[in-house]
Amino acid sequence: MTQKRRNGGRSKHGRGHVRYVRCTNCARCVPKDKAIKKFVIRNIVEAAAVRDLAEASVYDSYPLPKLYTKLSYCVSCAIHSKIVRNRSKEARRDRTPPPRFRPKRDDQPAPRPTTT
């Protein structure tokens, strides 16, 4: 029988069984290696309330705590919420990972634009 993907949609090479995780969206049981994982770093305080909090704070500069969550989705929820998209047969052969978006660090100054 023909197969759609080289890995069968999983990354379980050589392991007989992989434990299940729950989908963040619909709570479906999905094998951990098949689940689409997403690591999200957000501020605990929403953007609208940051200024109010800074004005009410006693401290001059207080680093707001962040919320670190690892989300795992089943395939159908990941497609529905546009985390992943279906690709053509030729595009599926491209195994390079998507570009990573690194959050900028607070201790490094922003690059200055050059005026020439």
Side-chain angles (χ1 to χ4, degrees):
M1 189 163 167
T2 59
Q3 68 182 70
K4 195 171 185 180
R5 285 172 190 82
R6 175 178 160 172
N7 62 1
R10 301 183 66 160
S11 61
K12 179 192 74 84
H13 302 290
R15 286 183 278 280
H17 186 264
V18 178
R19 70 180 189 89
Y20 287 93
V21 293
R22 293 300 199 126
C23 172
T24 307
N25 194 33
C26 69
R28 173 185 278 166
C29 279
V30 192
K32 188 180 177 191
D33 62 318
K34 187 173 190 170
I36 289 95
K37 291 163 279 288
K38 184 179 176 185
F39 191 68
V40 178
I41 304 170
R42 302 188 297 143
N43 284 330
I44 287 181
V45 183
E46 58 192 29
V50 170
R51 200 171 118 251
D52 299 335
L53 200 71
E55 289 173 357
S57 178
V58 178
Y59 302 105
D60 294 330
S61 64
Y62 177 72
L64 290 172
K66 296 197 180 298
L67 191 67
Y68 299 92
T69 51
K70 185 159 188 181
L71 308 173
S72 56
Y73 293 95
C74 64
V75 175
S76 56
C77 284
I79 292 170
H80 182 73
S81 54
K82 296 180 182 172
I83 294 164
V84 291
R85 296 211 166 100
N86 59 346
R87 299 189 292 171
S88 66
K89 193 171 185 178
E90 291 79 29
R92 260 185 257 137
R93 292 182 184 177
D94 178 27
R95 294 167 57 86
T96 57
R100 291 193 166 203
F101 300 104
R102 299 265 174 168
K104 60 180 180 180
R105 293 177 46 188
D106 296 333
D107 59 340
Q108 292 179 342
R112 293 186 179 186
T114 57
T115 55
T116 53

